[in-house]
Amino acid sequence: QAFETVAQAYPEDGYLQYEIGVCLAEQAVALQRSHEAGTGQLIGRARELMARARRHLSRAAELGEHSADLYCNLGMAAYNLGDMEGARQAFRKMLQIEGGDDANNNLAIVYAKEAERLRQELKTSVMASDERKHQLQEEMRTAISTALHYFHKALELDRDNPVLHGNIGLAYMIR
């Protein structure tokens, strides 16, 4: 709260907004870990902290702070809040600034998560029309192909990274 009081005193300081956003996001992650429900979804207070973090990070970007770290944190906040489109946008900006393996991996994870969501929706869409099922299949194929594209780009930059190899394997399992 002390940080946010300072932020109110200096609302046009983008770097301060960024730092507050990072601190709030770290608090949210620590709180979530201490109360892990196993669902992968943020719980109560952690969700509130992450939403506040996202607001501060967005404000920092509005004020002209543009760094790969800012967009990485903004993307992670959006991802953790379930906003895959917001996460994609932030990670694309991260990728434009820093075309490294982390940016590619983060973007790939968002697409893989979307593919998995679509796969689950397809499994449970017994009452959907054939046209809708076909649409879901096409969207899922596009999402997983895009995920694999970014995982492979990340791997080109860091061939020895075991996490990237694991992520590609998981993406192929979704496929």
Side-chain angles (χ1 to χ4, degrees):
Q1 286 181 350
F3 275 133
E4 290 185 285
T5 302
V6 172
Q8 289 173 351
Y10 301 97
E12 301 303 312
D13 187 328
Y15 184 72
L16 181 61
Q17 297 293 330
Y18 165 74
E19 288 296 330
I20 292 168
V22 170
C23 288
L24 289 168
E26 288 174 355
Q27 285 179 346
V29 169
L31 182 62
Q32 179 73 17
R33 283 189 184 138
S34 70
H35 294 87
E36 189 61 57
T39 64
Q41 304 239 339
L42 290 175
I43 55 170
R45 177 88 172 119
R47 185 170 193 74
E48 176 191 323
L49 287 168
M50 192 62 73
R52 286 171 44 203
R54 186 178 183 186
R55 284 192 298 274
H56 283 283
L57 293 165
S58 293
R59 181 71 179 135
E62 290 169 9
L63 292 170
E65 291 294 318
H66 296 287
S67 69
D69 286 341
L70 168 71
Y71 289 110
C72 180
N73 283 290
L74 188 55
M76 293 306 295
Y79 180 87
N80 285 318
L81 290 167
D83 178 8
M84 295 304 117
E85 183 54 35
R88 265 194 297 271
Q89 289 174 6
F91 291 141
R92 280 189 190 115
K93 288 182 182 178
M94 179 187 178
L95 189 59
Q96 288 172 347
I97 294 169
E98 172 192 274
D101 61 310
D102 284 340
N104 281 288
N105 186 54
N106 289 347
L107 193 51
I109 288 170
V110 173
Y111 280 103
K113 175 98 173 178
E114 182 65 10
E116 178 60 21
R117 183 194 67 76
L118 290 163
R119 187 170 73 88
Q120 291 301 321
E121 187 177 339
L122 186 60
K123 275 183 166 179
T124 60
S125 64
V126 292
M127 300 299 282
S129 68
D130 287 342
E131 183 180 321
R132 175 65 180 143
K133 288 178 183 177
H134 179 71
Q135 179 188 12
L136 287 171
Q137 287 174 332
E138 287 304 311
E139 289 176 15
M140 185 183 75
R141 281 188 196 112
T142 299
I144 200 63
S145 293
T146 305
L148 287 167
H149 165 78
Y150 285 111
F151 281 137
H152 283 289
K153 287 192 80 71
L155 201 54
E156 287 173 12
L157 298 167
D158 188 0
R159 291 200 179 281
D160 297 328
N161 187 329
V163 171
L164 296 176
H165 286 278
N167 287 347
I168 288 173
L170 291 171
Y172 277 112
M173 287 175 62
I174 294 170
R175 194 171 172 187

